[in-house]
Amino acid sequence: MGLIIYLDGKFVNEEEAKVSVFDHGLLYGDGVFEGIRAYHGRVFKLKEHIQRLYESARHIALDPGLTQEQMMEVVLETCRRNNLKDAYIRLVVTRGRGDLGLDPRKCPKPFIFCIAADIQLYPEELYERGLELVTVGTRRNAPDALDPRIKSLNYLNNILAKIEATRAGAPEGLMLNKEGYVAEATGDNIFIVKNGYLYTPPAHIGLLEGITRNTVLDLARKLGIPAAEKVFTRHDVYTADECFLTGTAAEVIPVSQLDSRPIGDGRPGPITRRLISAFRELTQVDGPEIFPRKE
Ligand code: PMP
């Protein structure tokens, strides 16, 4: 049985969920999106995802035409219609149909769709062993050209980096910004641990301000782990005690090596492990319920 998709104000079967070839999301990557997870009947950090979606939309001067509350309801109802308690959710707002020119004024109405599907988990073994990173040559988009804080449909920068990493035989690639500072992985944020301190680069150097990243910073503070946003180089990663990536799909995943240099002893460290379990606990209780119990 196919999925039920939210498409432009209606719920339709997967086969009927079609997008126009004149949609500027398709023609130009002109649109914004979110990747969201539901765990245990709750949509994790839904408010934060919707807020980031609206901030991305605001930056590109796109009015989704729904309130943030209505957009949250779209996500919850899409899960309900598919009877999903655990899901990976893709929410997309495009500029809509226009002509073949660039001008967004020719696109009168945004186009919204939402897909909720069964999740494909990363193998548990990766969380035990950690993943290998390589630095890629493709630099993360400069914020003064296309700010990576916009979660836009234009993901070619990341895709080029992903191609480089996988062709080099690594599952993930580390991207630097144009000054050579560590920015993020192709679809995840990066953290390092040194002498008991947790560090992640600040968003203004050019990276997506991940919801998982911000959650991990909050959890660290709650657990009494000192944490700060700091600009750092690959040297700091090579010489770190621990390193991990964060993202909605990957959650918190240890990094065992960068550019063939083992990090620490090459195995997931104690702070990484504490944060993985604190994060997993939080996913079970955070966010609005998909099927609220009637009083
Ligand atoms: N960076 C990039 C480039 C991403 O695509 C993602 C995934 N959305 C992340 C970081 C992690 O963000 P989040 O924790 O919000 O999923």
Side-chain angles (χ1 to χ4, degrees):
M1 220 187 58
L3 295 172
I4 307 287
I5 313 287
Y6 173 87
L7 193 89
D8 197 25
K10 294 194 274 295
F11 287 94
V12 300
N13 291 324
E14 191 178 313
E15 309 78 61
E16 297 159 48
K18 304 243 167 76
V19 180
S20 164
V21 292
F22 293 100
D23 192 297
H24 278 212
L26 176 64
L27 288 174
Y28 294 117
D30 184 3
V32 294
F33 77 102
E34 281 297 318
I36 312 170
R37 287 269 291 264
Y39 295 90
H40 209 63
R42 291 175 184 274
V43 181
F44 186 63
K45 299 283 172 195
L46 178 58
K47 217 170 154 196
E48 287 80 354
H49 280 283
I50 299 301
Q51 196 175 341
R52 184 173 66 184
L53 181 77
Y54 277 70
E55 287 177 3
S56 296
R58 177 175 281 262
H59 191 138
I60 70 163
L62 171 63
D63 177 1
L66 297 182
T67 64
Q68 295 199 27
E69 288 68 32
Q70 288 170 326
M71 196 65 92
M72 283 195 253
E73 194 45 39
V74 164
V75 171
L76 291 164
E77 186 62 20
T78 307
C79 293
R80 263 178 229 130
R81 299 268 178 141
N82 290 281
N83 202 23
L84 287 168
K85 288 186 166 171
D86 293 271
Y88 182 81
I89 302 152
R90 176 56 51 94
L91 177 60
V92 181
V93 185
T94 80
R95 189 79 64 181
R97 281 183 63 143
D99 62 19
L100 292 177
L102 284 178
D103 192 348
R105 289 176 303 183
K106 302 282 176 58
C107 306
K109 195 170 158 286
F111 190 82
I112 303 173
F113 62 91
C114 183
I115 308 166
D118 268 338
I119 38 168
Q120 288 175 339
L121 291 172
Y122 285 64
E124 187 57 31
E125 190 209 336
L126 264 188
Y127 295 85
E128 297 296 329
R129 212 185 56 214
L131 54 80
E132 293 155 20
L133 272 186
V134 291
T135 309
V136 297
T138 305
R139 296 296 175 105
R140 192 68 175 102
N141 282 330
D144 53 356
L146 176 56
D147 197 326
R149 291 176 81 176
I150 310 166
K151 196 165 171 61
S152 85
L153 293 178
N154 188 328
Y155 250 57
L156 267 182
N157 181 223
N158 312 65
I159 290 167
L160 291 173
K162 186 82 177 181
I163 290 170
E164 271 191 72
T166 54
R167 290 196 178 176
E172 251 303 341
L174 179 66
M175 303 182 78
L176 310 177
N177 74 357
K178 72 174 180 205
E179 283 83 33
Y181 293 111
V182 170
E184 59 179 335
T186 67
D188 295 297
N189 293 114
I190 185 166
F191 283 80
I192 55 172
V193 176
K194 181 76 174 183
N195 297 330
Y197 281 75
L198 185 64
Y199 300 109
T200 193
H204 68 80
I205 74 154
L207 52 96
L208 182 75
E209 194 173 342
I211 308 289
T212 320
R213 168 193 184 274
N214 291 349
T215 305
V216 164
L217 286 172
D218 283 348
L219 285 172
R221 287 179 194 121
K222 289 197 182 107
L223 294 170
I225 302 164
E229 296 177 55
K230 192 180 86 149
V231 175
F232 57 84
T233 68
R234 281 191 295 171
H235 176 81
D236 300 289
V237 185
Y238 294 149
T239 58
D241 301 321
E242 303 179 32
C243 177
F244 59 84
L245 304 182
T246 63
T248 295
E251 304 177 323
V252 178
I253 193 155
V255 173
S256 60
Q257 50 174 266
L258 170 62
D259 303 331
S260 308
R261 279 97 161 158
I263 294 168
D265 64 4
R267 286 198 300 271
I271 291 184
T272 306
R273 287 180 184 280
R274 270 175 83 193
L275 288 167
I276 290 175
S277 67
F279 182 82
R280 288 188 171 166
E281 267 173 44
L282 187 65
T283 59
Q284 301 301 301
V285 295
D286 177 275
E289 284 179 312
I290 297 167
F291 303 100
R293 283 167 292 242
K294 303 251 165 27
E295 292 302 319

